[in-house]
Amino acid sequence: MALRTIRLYDDPILRKICREVNVVDEKIKLILDDMADTLYHTDNSAALAAPQIGILKRLVVIDFGEGLIELINPVIVETQGLQEVTEGCLSIPDKWGKLNRPHFVRVSAQNRHGETFEIKGEGFLAKCLCHEIDHLEGILFIDKVTKFID
């Protein structure tokens, strides 16, 4: 495993749409391992999407203290409710804002064995899932902010 450099907001890769992973091979597993390693060695981090380390693949890792979640080709298949959240981003250091996210999401994805599964998230997990899946579409949280926080 290796620590990867987190790309910052002015890097054009963060605005690109990521490619679907067609085969979950050792290379993809290594990227997931590197993403997790980078996540765990970065202050104030809960999640990371592949474009944030310069890789245009549909990969996400999340861990906010309840264990690592790895998502390959995640797709939001259901949303419910609305919540106002405060967000920041590792790629946009020292910038925070308020925005609206679904209160509940259901996401379909693959695991590191290529098996399809669903994950449901409410509150903070729903926010993380939406934020990271937005990254895969080249969308940053600042695009959705209703109010920046100083």
Side-chain angles (χ1 to χ4, degrees), residues 8-137:
L8 299 180
Y9 67 94
D10 57 348
D11 191 320
I13 200 163
L14 294 173
R15 293 301 191 166
K16 296 185 185 281
I17 296 174
C18 293
R19 294 181 299 276
E20 190 170 309
V21 174
N22 295 316
V23 177
V24 182
D25 56 14
E26 290 308 311
K27 182 178 176 186
I28 294 300
K29 292 175 185 177
L30 179 61
I31 294 168
L32 288 168
D33 292 342
D34 287 354
M35 289 174 66
D37 202 29
T38 302
L39 179 72
Y40 291 137
H41 288 87
T42 303
D43 289 337
N44 198 26
S45 61
L48 189 65
Q52 291 181 276
I53 60 165
I55 297 172
L56 288 173
K57 298 272 188 198
R58 299 187 77 78
L59 302 170
V60 168
V61 295
I62 298 172
D63 191 345
F64 54 93
E66 296 185 12
L68 184 65
I69 301 167
E70 296 176 324
L71 304 170
I72 300 170
N73 299 323
V75 176
I76 296 172
V77 294
E78 180 186 0
T79 66
Q80 292 178 14
L82 198 62
Q83 62 177 332
E84 183 181 58
V85 298
T86 300
E87 287 189 19
C89 181
L90 296 175
S91 293
I92 309 171
D94 304 320
K95 194 85 150 166
W96 297 87
K98 298 261 185 200
L99 60 147
N100 295 311
R101 294 280 191 195
H103 178 72
F104 168 86
V105 295
R106 184 167 52 96
V107 172
S108 176
Q110 291 172 284
N111 63 23
R112 68 170 35 234
H113 307 291
E115 302 160 336
T116 300
F117 72 100
E118 285 192 347
I119 183 169
K120 297 175 184 176
E122 292 185 60
F124 188 79
L125 180 55
K127 173 181 86 164
C128 282
L129 289 164
C130 291
H131 180 108
E132 299 309 320
I133 292 171
D134 275 355
H135 269 300
L136 305 180
E137 297 297 325

